[in-house]
């Protein structure tokens, strides 16, 4: 079930002794992850760049819908900007909750998908009533062609303190940040008129308040102060952050462990350079 909406993946309840798996880490893995899982090593269609990994992490090439791990093998599973890509979300969610006791899922929100859409995203997602409600993009009539990602992902979060405060105090504005324990509630292509209306109808005042509940002035000030402290903390952490290495370099160091995967990825890297 849902436990809370963290600020982002820098604000997770991971214990020091937890064993952590990250599914679909792409070009931006979390240093805290012990195991990294990636499905596609021969193309970047679903990623913003080549795969990177930290030297201390163990790499597994696997499909998130069929993971090669035992039940509850991990204490925590991280799935950052991946669920919107998957073919069969029920199977994917079932596997994530099978192998881990707790975890974190982050996806673009419905509004976020309008502002920075990607062709590789199959689903638009909202966090409603503690459930991740998913609706297939091809069933909607909206325009998902104009990508303002450079502004809302690559510029404003680093140049505008006001924007960053808005993003942290209105946590569902651009992304769904969903921390769970035991299981994950999910609805896919809902037929129920209540959930379906959030994707297919203009939002009423009641619908807006459902996603963004009204707050008192006191709560607003408290959240703003907390957000300021969080921004400072992340800035300090970013300065101290270690740098990952490319998957190519990682596989070179472990080529005896991944002989076939090394050849496949080496071929992909060579083709990209030509």
């Amino acid at each position: 079930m849902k436990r809370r909406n963290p600020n982002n993946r820098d604000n997770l309840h991971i214990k020091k002794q937890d064993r952590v798996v990250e599914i679909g880490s792409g070009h931006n893995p979390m240093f805290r992850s012990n195991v990294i899982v990636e499905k596609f090593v021969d193309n970047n269609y679903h990623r913003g760049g080549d795969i990177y990994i930290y030297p201390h992490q163990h790499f597994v090439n696997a499909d998130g819908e069929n993971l090669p791990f035992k039940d509850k093998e991990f204490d925590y599973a991280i799935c950052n900007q991946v669920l919107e890509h998957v073919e069969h979300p029920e199977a994917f969610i079932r596997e994530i909750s099978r192998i881990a006791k707790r975890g974190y899922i982050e996806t673009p929100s419905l509004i976020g998908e309008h502002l920075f859409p990607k062709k590789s995203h199959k689903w638009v997602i909202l966090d409603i009533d503690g459930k991740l409600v998913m609706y297939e993009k091809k069933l909607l009539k909206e325009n998902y062609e104009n990508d303002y990602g450079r502004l809302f992902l690559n510029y404003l979060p680093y140049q505008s303190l006001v924007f960053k405060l808005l993003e942290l105090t209105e946590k569902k504005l651009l992304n769904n940040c969903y921390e769970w324990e035991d299981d994950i509630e999910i609805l896919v292509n809902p037929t129920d008129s209540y959930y379906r209306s959030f994707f297919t109808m203009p939002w009423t005042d009641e619908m807006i308040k459902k996603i963004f509940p009204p707050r008192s002035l006191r709560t607003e000030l408290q959240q703003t102060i907390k957000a300021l402290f969080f921004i400072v903390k992340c800035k300090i952490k970013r300065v101290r952050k270690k740098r990952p290495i490319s998957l190519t370099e990682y596989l070179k160091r472990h080529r005896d462990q991944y002989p076939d995967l090394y050849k496949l990825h080496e071929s992909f890297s060579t083709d990209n350079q030509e």
Side-chain angles (χ1 to χ4, degrees), residues 6-225:
N7 291 331
N8 53 38
R9 65 179 191 155
D10 292 320
N11 182 224
L12 307 182
H13 284 169
I14 300 177
K15 301 174 184 177
K16 186 176 182 180
Q17 70 273 18
D18 281 349
R19 181 163 167 77
V20 180
V21 61
E22 186 170 1
I23 295 94
S25 55
H27 63 286
N28 189 23
M30 281 193 67
F31 183 81
R32 180 60 183 83
S33 302
N34 303 106
V35 177
I36 295 293
V37 178
E38 273 289 345
K39 179 179 179 180
F40 302 106
V41 298
D42 56 351
N43 72 82
N44 287 333
Y45 177 70
H46 290 279
R47 293 188 293 268
D50 293 340
I51 298 171
Y52 276 79
I53 184 170
Y54 290 96
H56 71 277
Q57 296 172 332
H58 177 66
F59 182 81
V60 175
N61 179 211
D63 187 342
E65 297 178 15
N66 186 22
L67 294 167
F69 305 118
K70 299 176 183 178
D71 292 356
K72 306 305 179 187
E73 184 172 337
F74 298 93
D75 299 291
Y76 203 96
I78 297 169
C79 181
N80 183 51
Q81 303 290 331
V82 176
L83 184 59
E84 64 273 16
H85 296 264
V86 304
E87 288 295 321
H88 307 102
E90 292 105 332
F92 185 88
I93 289 296
R94 187 164 54 246
E95 277 293 89
I96 299 302
S97 56
R98 178 186 67 81
I99 66 167
K101 301 171 186 175
R102 312 182 327 274
Y104 172 72
I105 295 174
E106 181 177 321
T107 75
S109 68
L110 175 63
I111 296 171
E113 189 65 34
H114 275 288
L115 294 174
F116 35 89
K118 297 290 181 288
K119 290 183 178 179
S120 58
H121 292 181
K122 183 175 181 179
W123 307 92
V124 288
I125 305 170
L126 283 170
D127 178 356
I128 308 173
D129 297 330
K131 302 177 181 68
L132 289 175
V133 185
M134 307 178 64
Y135 209 86
E136 205 164 354
K137 279 173 64 175
K138 71 178 183 180
L139 301 178
L140 301 175
K141 299 178 181 179
E142 285 84 354
N143 171 30
Y144 285 102
E145 297 298 324
N146 299 326
D147 185 352
Y148 303 104
R150 288 187 178 275
L151 173 63
F152 288 99
L153 297 176
N154 304 118
Y155 183 78
L156 290 178
Y158 303 97
Q159 300 296 326
S160 172
L161 176 61
V162 173
F163 177 82
K164 193 64 179 176
L165 287 172
L166 173 64
E167 189 178 26
L168 290 172
T169 54
E170 297 292 356
K171 296 177 183 178
K172 296 183 182 180
L173 182 63
L174 300 181
N175 291 292
N176 301 300
C177 298
Y178 185 99
E179 196 165 37
W180 59 272
E181 184 173 1
D182 296 330
D183 55 22
I184 306 162
E185 292 189 79
I186 183 173
L187 288 176
V188 178
N189 286 336
T191 56
D192 180 278
S193 60
Y194 167 69
Y195 292 108
R196 186 185 180 94
S197 65
F198 284 90
F199 298 91
T200 60
M201 302 293 290
W203 282 11
T204 63
D205 289 344
E206 289 74 19
M207 295 166 74
I208 292 171
K209 290 176 182 178
K210 185 65 181 179
I211 305 296
F212 305 101
R215 298 189 292 254
S216 67
L217 177 59
R218 179 179 179 179
T219 301
E220 188 76 11
L221 290 173
Q222 288 175 339
Q223 292 200 7
T224 302
I225 292 170

Side-chain angles (χ1 to χ4, degrees), residues 238-254:
R238 192 172 295 118
V239 171
R240 298 175 179 175
K241 184 179 179 181
K242 296 182 180 179
R243 301 295 180 186
I245 60 175
S246 68
L247 180 60
T248 302
E249 178 60 29
Y250 179 88
L251 293 176
K252 282 183 180 178
R253 296 183 186 184
H254 303 276

